[in-house]
Amino acid sequence: MIDQAWLRQRLTELKLGFMFLTQLPLRHDAEVAKGDLARALWSAPLVGVVVGFAGAIVFSIALVLHVPLLPAAVLTVAATTLLTGALHDDGLADVADGFGGGATRERKLEIMRDSRIGTYGVVALILSFMLRVCAIAELGDDMAVLAALIAAHAGGRAAIPLFMHIVPSARADGLAADAGVPSQTVSLVAVVIGAAALLAGLDIKGGIIALLLLAGAGAFMAWLSWRQIQGQTGDVLGALEQVGEIIVLLIAAAIVATPR
């Protein structure tokens, strides 16, 4: 029999995950203490499942209305971006601006905290949106898009707690520092959920390839963020999600495009 207190705690953590990673209007009356978010981040890939499902619904509606594939894909990415409040997109842009435009660690962190966007950030966002839109349009079929979006959004978020567990925060304050450090158990649960979504959304071969590429991308991001700013920030985590999402969508598109 499931322990009721344990279940309530997990449901609270799931709600915190949705509150932090989406724009859904959820209420949480209790004060969120430092460490609460870190404990809740096992839910990040589950949040990704919901975001991907929402995007797939938009794509299916667009097809029913006879919207061509390319604008249907644009609407799909717009919907997922709206649902997440462009949280990860903002991180990608800030990392591109900071890592590309700052000469010192301090200057890079200053640029990343600046709300203004620069040339590197604009280019990064353009490339990100183009790659995701083109990959979704290539999938064509609404069921293929559903599987790919769930895999991409879950897989892209699954590495976030593990990344936070391994790479220390670059700042004493800020979003990532305030969240705390996810435990090894939280990180492992998120990875397992993300891996399951990848294997279910892609075929076995594609899922394994995605896992390997995501691991490589995570290792590269860890090396790059340490080299650039000696740690990670919330922006780095957002960029990590975007890179992972793109990788999975491109793999899904490649599977569809490969002759059987």
Side-chain angles (χ1 to χ4, degrees), residues 46-131:
L46 291 181
V47 174
V49 170
V50 174
V51 173
F53 186 76
I57 290 175
V58 171
F59 186 82
S60 295
I61 292 173
L63 291 189
V64 169
L65 297 175
H66 303 290
V67 176
L69 288 176
L70 192 58
V74 172
L75 291 172
T76 300
V77 175
T80 57
T81 303
L82 181 64
L83 182 56
T84 59
L87 177 67
H88 309 297
D89 309 79
D90 178 70
L92 176 66
D94 286 343
V95 166
D97 278 336
F99 287 10
T104 65
R105 173 182 182 273
E106 290 70 26
R107 180 56 181 154
K108 292 175 192 292
L109 289 170
E110 180 184 352
I111 292 173
M112 291 167 68
R113 182 162 276 177
D114 193 332
S115 61
R116 294 171 295 181
I117 188 170
T119 302
Y120 287 111
V122 171
V123 171
L125 288 178
I126 290 173
L127 291 175
S128 172
F129 277 94
M130 286 181 65
L131 287 170

Side-chain angles (χ1 to χ4, degrees), residues 42 45-46 49 150-159 187-204 206-212 214 248:
W42 62 266
L46 291 181
V49 170
I150 288 176
H153 283 277
R157 289 164 175 78
S187 304
L188 180 60
V189 170
V191 168
V192 169
I193 296 173
L198 288 172
L199 293 173
L202 307 174
D203 55 27
I204 298 298
I208 293 173
I209 292 173
L211 285 170
L212 293 174
L214 289 176
V248 177

